Amino acid sequence: MTLLPSLLAGLKAVCAAFPDPRKGRGGNIAMADFGLSAFSMFFMQSASFLSFQRSLEKGQGRSNCQSLFGIEKIPSDNYIRDMLDEADPALLAPCFERLEMLLAEPPMRQAFARLGGRTLVAWDGTEYFCSQKIGCPHCLRRERCNGKTESYHSMLAATVVAPAHSKVVPLMPEFIASQDGAEKQDCERNAVKRWFGKHHARLSPLRPVYLGDDLFACQPVAKMVTDNGSDFIFTAKQSSHKALYDFIDGAEPNRHEEKVRKRKARETFRYRWIEAVPLRDGRDAMPVNWIALEIVDATGRVKYSMAWVTSLAITQYNVAQIAACGRARWKIENESFNVMKNHGYELEHNFGHGETFLAMTLAALNLLAFAWHAALELLEPPWQAAREAATKRTRFFAHLATLTAYAVFPSWTVFLESLATFTIPPELLKTQKIE
């Protein structure tokens, strides 16, 4: 068991460098303990985790915060919020960069590599906080039809995805700032440019192919990607690409069909593509390749229809794989945003808003916990064994919360073995008397 302790050591070092708002006065709780305490709640998927550990510490003189997460003293919830408010989420970048290094490991490459060893990185924006009562200088604002003003936070997420694979790995997000503009397009497009400038060069060994919805299928974003030696597959709707579809009208596309059996049903996948079509109107329009997919059932009914623009060369031998990769973009919504908002991580819950960075930093820690869970399921055998023993994901995290509420485990190795075997070493159940 080496990966999880190593990840935690890296996170502890990062949290130790958080700015200390006590301004030289210091205190009896180290800065690392504030960051690790917040992260432990997200990692264990239990809002009550810290309160249970305080009870254990009171009764036994120790807790799983110390033995599992390396937290020396557990701060109060309000103290955590106060101390993390000045910690810019960008300080967590080294922890996400460690995940990028793990993506080069053979199990991760096997899980996510597509198109001849390329890594698919999906972009999309999402909100994670909204209130008509609470706000901060970093909040975005909008007026509703009832005249009330909402304050909200949004981020541009980047997530490694792959067709035919249920896991996704979030990368460092870019938080959308108020100066980006009031329109959604301006916000997400500006944010993706900032994200690309900060992270693309470091990701280049993974040979990324960027995925995005119709919002990103514009010349500035597409050219930014190709000028830096990478490729893209972006959704391209007819309603927002008039010049492109005017060019396509009347042209004879290349065609390819594949018969696919799905359980007892038989479907036909119909592909069409045209090379070197203009992405927009004007002489300087960037040439892209257009690809469309229709899925038709046995009765001739069209069940699915979508089109993309891509910088990748298309042939009848790779058209199906390129389309599958384009369709994988939805995984950032279903496998990432939906899971984080509705299945345990409670991304939209207000864990604390603060006046400066708190809402963003807590969201980044939550995202990091989700990313670690995905990496551990692919790389860490003891975690895999414990996860498989629980069968269901919800049951696994329920076991994590229950066991750590009643017993103090000396290490992750012992804890995960208990989860995998449904046994707790008898000596751990003995209450330690405090002298």
Side-chain angles (χ1 to χ4, degrees):
M1 183 78 188
T2 58
L3 178 57
L4 183 51
S6 175
L7 291 173
L8 283 166
L11 177 60
K12 185 170 186 175
V14 166
C15 293
F18 283 176
D20 190 338
R22 292 170 292 193
K23 301 186 185 305
R25 289 177 292 139
N28 64 346
I29 299 179
M31 281 306 302
D33 288 347
F34 295 102
L36 288 169
S37 295
F39 176 80
S40 68
M41 180 183 66
F42 298 128
F43 187 82
M44 301 299 283
Q45 295 223 325
S46 171
S48 302
F49 176 71
L50 292 177
S51 62
F52 284 140
Q53 301 316 301
R54 293 185 188 104
S55 298
L56 279 174
E57 190 175 41
K58 185 176 180 180
Q60 299 193 32
R62 58 199 177 107
S63 77
N64 292 295
C65 278
Q66 286 109 356
S67 59
L68 299 182
F69 289 95
I71 299 168
E72 296 176 10
K73 295 185 179 180
I74 309 172
S76 69
D77 294 350
N78 285 336
Y79 202 9
I80 292 171
R81 296 185 187 100
D82 291 343
M83 296 297 286
L84 293 185
D85 194 25
E86 293 185 19
D88 190 324
L91 295 171
L92 292 168
C95 297
F96 286 95
E97 290 170 18
R98 175 71 187 280
L99 287 167
E100 295 167 11
M101 296 172 62
L102 294 177
L103 286 167
E105 297 287 329
M108 299 284 264
R109 299 298 297 152
Q110 183 178 358
F112 293 107
R114 297 293 187 274
L115 297 170
R118 309 289 296 271
T119 300
L120 307 179
V121 179
W123 289 327
D124 202 4
T126 190
E127 289 183 22
Y128 60 92
F129 169 83
C130 182
S131 174
Q132 293 183 354
K133 298 180 180 180
I134 302 173
C136 74
H138 290 278
C139 275
L140 301 166
R141 290 176 175 79
R142 62 188 167 212
E143 188 172 323
R144 289 301 191 186
C145 56
N146 60 5
K148 293 185 177 180
T149 300
E150 284 182 345
S151 299
Y152 67 100
H153 280 283
S154 183
M155 64 180 168
L156 186 282
T159 303
V160 174
V161 302
H165 199 282
S166 61
K167 296 290 182 293
V168 299
V169 180
L171 304 177
M172 182 70 193
E174 180 66 29
F175 291 94
I176 297 175
S178 56
Q179 63 265 26
D180 283 340
E183 296 297 326
K184 179 182 178 183
Q185 288 185 336
D186 292 336
C187 290
E188 290 187 21
R189 285 179 179 172
N190 286 343
V192 84
K193 292 173 186 176
R194 293 199 308 274
W195 184 96
F196 193 88
K198 293 175 183 177
H199 307 295
H200 170 71
R202 195 178 60 253
L203 290 170
S204 58
L206 297 175
R207 300 172 59 216
V209 176
Y210 294 100
L211 312 179
D213 60 19
D214 186 80
L215 186 68
F216 301 109
C218 62
Q219 183 146 324
V221 176
K223 194 171 186 299
M224 173 186 72
V225 171
T226 56
D227 282 354
N228 285 276
S230 284
D231 292 291
F232 61 83
I233 308 172
F234 295 147
T235 303
K237 296 179 181 178
Q238 186 169 357
S239 58
S240 53
H241 290 82
K242 185 177 184 301
L244 186 153
Y245 281 90
D246 284 348
F247 184 92
I248 289 172
D249 275 349
E252 182 58 33
N254 299 285
R255 298 178 184 272
H256 178 68
E257 285 192 4
E258 292 183 358
K259 303 291 185 181
V260 177
R261 179 174 289 279
K262 191 175 182 181
R263 299 185 181 90
K264 294 182 179 180
R266 185 180 293 275
E267 297 175 337
T268 301
F269 283 53
R270 294 176 179 170
Y271 303 96
R272 295 175 293 143
W273 70 95
I274 302 176
E275 297 177 320
V277 300
L279 183 54
R280 68 181 185 188
D281 199 8
R283 293 183 178 180
D284 65 341
M286 177 182 181
V288 295
N289 299 325
W290 176 84
I291 180 174
L293 166 64
E294 285 184 344
I295 301 178
V296 182
D297 65 17
T299 68
R301 180 176 65 92
V302 176
K303 295 176 57 179
Y304 176 87
S305 179
M306 188 58 69
W308 301 269
V309 290
T310 179
S311 55
L312 296 166
I314 307 171
T315 70
Q316 71 178 80
Y317 303 107
N318 69 6
V319 63
Q321 191 176 13
I322 291 174
C325 292
R327 293 181 69 189
R329 186 209 66 81
W330 66 266
K331 287 179 174 288
I332 192 173
E333 297 180 5
N334 283 13
E335 309 293 343
S336 183
F337 298 157
N338 180 49
V339 171
M340 292 208 67
K341 293 180 180 182
N342 303 309
H343 298 281
Y345 297 89
E346 305 297 336
L347 182 63
E348 292 179 304
H349 177 75
N350 180 20
F351 293 99
H353 190 265
E355 293 295 327
T356 312
F357 295 117
L358 182 63
M360 293 181 281
T361 298
L362 293 179
L365 287 169
N366 203 348
L367 204 65
L368 184 65
F370 178 47
W372 281 21
H373 291 154
L376 290 168
E377 284 199 39
L378 291 166
L379 296 173
E380 191 75 285
W383 184 277
Q384 292 168 342
R387 178 68 180 81
E388 290 170 6
T391 62
K392 292 185 178 180
R393 180 185 170 281
T394 52
R395 185 179 301 166
F396 172 71
F397 283 105
H399 290 173
L400 257 68
T402 302
L403 264 66
T404 53
Y406 294 101
V408 179
F409 294 86
S411 67
W412 282 103
T413 300
V414 174
F415 179 42
L416 292 171
E417 185 177 353
S418 295
L419 288 169
T421 59
F422 297 97
T423 59
I424 301 177
E427 63 271 16
L428 298 186
L429 296 176
K430 296 178 181 178
T431 303
Q432 178 180 326
K433 292 184 179 180
I434 303 175
E435 297 295 335

